[in-house]
Amino acid sequence: MAILIDQDSRIVVQGLGRSGLFHAQRCREYGSSIVAGVTPGKGGTYSDGIPVFDTVAEAVKHGAANVSMIFVPPPAAADAILEAASAGIELAVCITEGIPVRDMVQVKQALQGSAMRLIGPNCPGVITPGQCKVGIMPGDIHRPGSVGVVSRSGTLTYEAVQQLSDAGLGQSTCVGIGGDAIIGSGFIDMLELFNDDPATESVFLIGEIGGSAEEEAAAWIQRHMRKPVAAFIAGVTAPPGKRMGHAGAIVSGGKGRAVDKIATLQGCGIQVATSPARMAEALLETLNRR
Amino acid sequence: MNLHEYQAKELFRLYGVPVPRGNVAASAGEAQRLAEDLGGTSVLKAQVYAGGRGKAGGVRLVKTSAEAAEVAMSLLGSTLITPQTGPGGLPVACLLVEEAVAIEGEFYLSITLDRVASRYCLMASAAGGVDIEETARCAPEKIHRQLIDPCLGLRSFQARHLALALGLRGSVCEAAVELMLNLYRLFLDKDCSQVEINPLVTTADGQLLAMDAKINLDDNALFRHPQEQELLDHSQLDPLEVQAGRFDIAYIKMSGRIGCLVNGAGLAMATLDVLQECGGRPANFLDVGGGASREKVAEAFRIILQDREVKGVFVNIFGGIMRCDIVAQGIIDAAVPVSCRLPIVVRMAGAQVDVGKALLASSGLNVTCVDGLGDGATRIVELLA
């Protein structure tokens, strides 16, 4: 068991261009079933053995795909997400960075009531170590285990995973939910899944400045979470009013500060790593306290 | 991306959001002529990418066109320092010359993204002209909000609710409704991330006017707006930030001595955090991108070296799929030709890490390679102590 993806996931890659194909190949090497690609205009061809279709619906029909990994460039990315939903895809993981906010406002509205779950955009993807990788993260730093990881970041998640693996803490599933202001699934969505997943025994949460998702997650954890959680929040040194790389990482009007997020998490009884160099340590301490 | 007030007001005019009569001037002569057209008495407003201009002396009331020329002379070419510009201030290259208005009531109006609702939100307050963040903190009940359904758009009744909440009645209320609908149309058409009117005023003769205008455009949507891209005023930005932007590198100048080169925004933020925890002060935030190329790493390193305050560099690359020998080569490409003697601490993780380390070791650069994030931070701080 794991959340979102496992060895049975059948993946279609939307946007099988240079970068899409490169990462599809890495996922396939990891053991993921890449059953189809979608690039409008290229239907009927093959890319390194992957059959390419013009639409997601065809890919679903011919390859029985249930998961989509999206690399479509920003101008057409919102359309790609909506197409995946309309084709009956269960889980779309959108890697694309730089989708206009107005497009995501519409997508978010359109997905209300849809059966499809969206992870991202602007995220590294999802990995269930030893089973399936749908994303751009390096597979080799992960170890199968029982820690669920959920994060707004990419490379900072790799850092956390490396520390966890080095400390002997394998992972059930790692989810990068994305660094944009509007994302398909939030911390709480993932915490709910981890809470109900028998393979997950604890959770490490990685947040950052901007918005209030960490504060809402903290309140949810205090009320509903049955498993130990530790966290790290990036950006205590971030100057206000500056966008720190991620579109959603900005302290504005005194809101979204790291110190406030940390205080809220701690106030809800959640251990927060004081340094990004000690993320695994924070989780170990939490586990030892139980 | 920011727009200047005068650019924002031109868009306002185009979309039927009423603004005071006025125009932009880049010389004292122009300012004088514009003031003369307005009847002498007018307001001169320094155009910079920052608020708080009034208290800083960047907004001046003049009585005659001769006085306008005099004030313009002193403002143009000067550097304006406000609480929002930072200590260095921003250069004043042009002025907005506007009619002086007899103000009766002052309000606040804006459209921004509500991240929790994933919808745009129209906000209004009768406490206009003051710091809205202060109002949000002390008296949140004075801020009225309407969330906008993306399928339906902003509806007249929603705008009317807000106008009435501001205490506007009769024809002024209906004018406010029209203004809000037009503002939303502009917001969507131009892919804004924020529009703000502070203050929106009612005049003695019963008109509504946007006295100030702030527009931020969604950087992600600029590809749809080539015309607006042209409006960017590079003089208002840090030159290194501009240079970085050309290479799609996220760079923010800070005040310390340790230059930072990191891949990924979250890790870049965390790197600044760990440096500070070790007692070091970062000179910048720099995200070279999740999977950067040799050329980008080299360009990023060059940008860091251009900052005179930098006395050492901390490179933190969690490669994964990105190869470490490529990263090392990028650093060498940038540092060796300029005979860089600064201490450089490199933390790399990922494929070909030993090849990368060997390349750096034989480069003649003053490089220390470390394996962990914490070790790296401690090391660079020690080296600069």
Side-chain angles (χ1 to χ4, degrees):
Chain A
M1 283 288 285
I3 69 165
L4 300 173
I5 57 171
D6 57 26
Q7 70 273 11
D8 298 326
S9 300
R10 296 175 63 79
I11 300 146
V12 53
V13 181
Q14 286 178 258
L16 206 59
R18 207 166 65 95
S19 157
L21 178 62
F22 175 82
H23 288 291
Q25 289 165 331
R26 302 290 87 73
C27 290
R28 192 168 58 183
E29 283 163 15
Y30 193 77
S32 310
S33 304
I34 307 290
V35 298
V38 172
T39 303
K42 293 276 172 66
T45 64
Y46 284 81
S47 252
D48 191 25
I50 303 168
V52 181
F53 299 92
D54 288 314
T55 67
V56 182
E58 287 172 312
V60 169
K61 191 173 162 204
H62 294 280
N66 64 343
V67 173
S68 175
M69 175 162 72
I70 301 174
F71 286 94
V72 174
D79 192 64
I81 296 170
L82 296 174
E83 186 187 353
S86 110
I89 290 288
E90 293 160 22
L91 173 73
V93 178
C94 186
I95 310 297
T96 310
E97 176 176 5
I99 303 179
V101 173
R102 173 156 63 96
D103 297 5
M104 281 310 299
V105 168
Q106 290 177 338
V107 166
K108 189 84 183 177
Q109 169 78 17
L111 291 184
Q112 295 266 328
S114 154
M116 187 182 83
R117 185 189 290 281
L118 172 67
I119 301 290
N122 191 14
C123 78
V126 185
I127 183 168
T128 294
Q131 295 191 42
C132 183
K133 164 171 124 99
V134 180
I136 59 174
M137 68 290 280
D140 60 354
I141 58 173
H142 298 80
R143 299 281 176 272
S146 64
V147 181
V149 177
V150 57
S151 169
R152 278 169 69 187
S153 166
T155 47
L156 180 57
T157 316
Y158 312 163
E159 173 73 39
V161 166
Q162 177 86 72
Q163 289 180 23
L164 291 171
S165 292
D166 288 349
L169 295 166
Q171 305 90 41
S172 54
T173 302
C174 304
V175 189
I177 57 174
D180 279 358
I182 297 186
I183 49 178
S185 306
F187 283 124
I188 296 175
D189 298 311
M190 295 305 109
L191 291 167
E192 280 176 345
L193 295 179
F194 281 133
N195 215 12
D196 294 335
D197 172 33
T200 302
E201 290 169 13
S202 63
V203 172
F204 195 76
L205 181 151
I206 301 160
E208 62 188 32
I209 58 164
S212 57
E214 291 80 1
E215 286 89 333
E216 288 145 30
W220 191 90
I221 290 166
Q222 191 177 35
R223 228 175 309 146
H224 303 288
M225 199 73 188
R226 299 183 299 273
K227 300 171 182 179
V229 179
F232 174 71
I233 304 293
V236 283
T237 48
K242 294 282 189 180
R243 211 169 282 286
M244 305 299 276
H246 284 154
I250 181 164
V251 174
S252 59
K255 285 200 198 130
R257 297 192 309 164
V259 284
D260 298 331
K261 290 173 186 292
I262 292 168
T264 307
L265 284 159
Q266 287 171 337
C268 292
I270 300 155
Q271 172 123 356
V272 182
T274 49
S275 155
R278 288 194 298 275
M279 293 191 278
E281 240 171 82
L283 183 60
L284 276 174
E285 278 171 32
T286 304
L287 295 176
N288 290 339
R289 257 190 296 150
R290 307 272 291 202
Chain B
M1 175 183 149
N2 289 309
L3 295 186
H4 278 305
E5 178 193 1
Y6 80 90
Q7 297 165 331
K9 281 182 169 166
E10 279 167 21
L11 283 174
F12 277 15
R13 253 186 223 110
L14 221 55
Y15 278 81
V17 176
V19 295
R21 284 187 299 143
N23 216 328
V24 67
S27 70
E30 272 174 25
Q32 182 169 15
R33 264 194 308 282
L34 289 171
E36 214 165 276
D37 292 345
L38 293 169
T41 302
S42 48
V43 180
L44 273 57
K45 303 177 84 174
Q47 298 296 289
V48 292
Y49 280 180
R53 293 172 298 172
K55 282 180 192 145
V59 179
R60 308 270 284 273
L61 178 71
V62 297
K63 299 284 183 204
T64 65
S65 59
E67 195 188 346
E70 215 172 285
V71 169
M73 195 87 85
S74 72
L75 278 177
L76 287 167
S78 74
T79 301
L80 191 68
I81 303 171
T82 85
Q84 294 179 24
T85 59
L90 287 170
V92 181
C94 57
L95 306 170
L96 178 60
V97 184
E98 274 187 346
E99 62 175 325
V101 173
I103 294 171
E104 237 181 35
E106 288 191 302
F107 310 93
Y108 170 92
L109 188 68
S110 75
I111 304 174
T112 52
L113 177 71
D114 182 311
R115 290 171 65 153
V116 175
S118 297
R119 289 182 172 194
Y120 294 122
C121 177
L122 179 65
M123 280 198 288
S125 173
V130 295
D131 184 1
I132 193 69
E133 285 155 16
E134 192 59 32
T135 311
R137 248 191 315 277
C138 309
E141 75 284 354
K142 287 189 179 159
I143 299 177
H144 309 279
R145 301 154 45 88
Q146 290 283 334
L147 285 174
I148 302 167
D149 183 313
C151 300
L152 303 173
L154 177 68
R155 312 303 304 192
S156 298
F157 78 87
Q158 293 184 293
R160 198 167 296 114
H161 273 300
L162 287 188
L164 290 170
L166 296 182
L168 303 174
R169 297 290 180 270
S171 63
V172 186
C173 175
E174 286 312 300
V177 170
E178 195 187 332
L179 182 151
M180 290 181 207
L181 294 175
N182 287 339
L183 194 68
Y184 180 64
R185 205 159 47 82
L186 160 66
F187 185 95
L188 278 193
D189 275 6
K190 298 298 174 191
D191 272 299
C192 301
S193 55
Q194 185 186 29
V195 297
E196 187 181 81
I197 305 176
N198 190 21
L200 172 72
V201 304
T202 47
T203 61
D205 56 352
Q207 280 192 44
L208 267 178
L209 283 177
M211 292 306 287
D212 200 359
K214 186 171 152 191
I215 291 183
N216 297 106
L217 303 174
D218 177 5
D219 293 325
N220 285 351
L222 285 176
F223 68 87
R224 290 200 278 242
H225 304 285
Q227 268 186 321
E228 276 68 36
Q229 278 182 55
E230 301 289 312
L231 298 178
L232 182 64
D233 180 355
H234 291 289
S235 78
Q236 300 294 308
L237 306 172
D238 183 288
L240 288 180
E241 289 180 20
V242 175
Q243 190 185 342
R246 272 200 283 273
F247 291 89
D248 206 19
I249 294 166
Y251 172 91
I252 294 165
K253 173 91 181 78
M254 293 171 74
S255 57
R257 299 189 304 157
I258 305 171
C260 297
L261 195 169
V262 190
N263 68 329
L267 189 60
M269 268 186 272
T271 303
L272 307 187
D273 296 347
V274 74
L275 278 173
Q276 171 144 308
E277 206 217 358
C278 297
R281 286 178 55 226
N284 63 275
F285 166 93
L286 190 152
D287 168 15
V288 73
S293 63
R294 172 174 172 177
E295 289 72 26
K296 259 176 105 171
V297 171
E299 194 53 44
F301 206 90
R302 284 187 201 108
I303 287 165
I304 290 171
L305 291 184
Q306 281 177 54
D307 177 356
R308 294 294 172 79
E309 305 293 315
V310 167
K311 298 290 179 266
V313 183
F314 183 26
V315 178
N316 184 19
I317 301 281
F318 204 110
I321 284 158
M322 196 173 152
R323 276 165 44 193
C324 295
D325 54 329
I326 305 268
V327 175
Q329 204 62 60
I331 297 170
I332 292 166
D333 289 349
V336 169
V338 295
S339 312
C340 173
R341 292 310 307 152
L342 299 177
I344 305 168
V345 172
V346 178
R347 182 283 176 116
M348 295 185 295
Q352 305 283 348
V353 68
D354 292 330
V355 181
K357 282 180 183 174
L359 278 171
L360 287 170
S362 60
S363 66
L365 295 168
N366 183 7
V367 179
T368 314
C369 285
V370 297
D371 290 323
L373 172 57
D375 300 343
T378 315
R379 201 63 210 272
I380 188 72
V381 171
E382 277 169 10
L383 286 169
L384 295 196

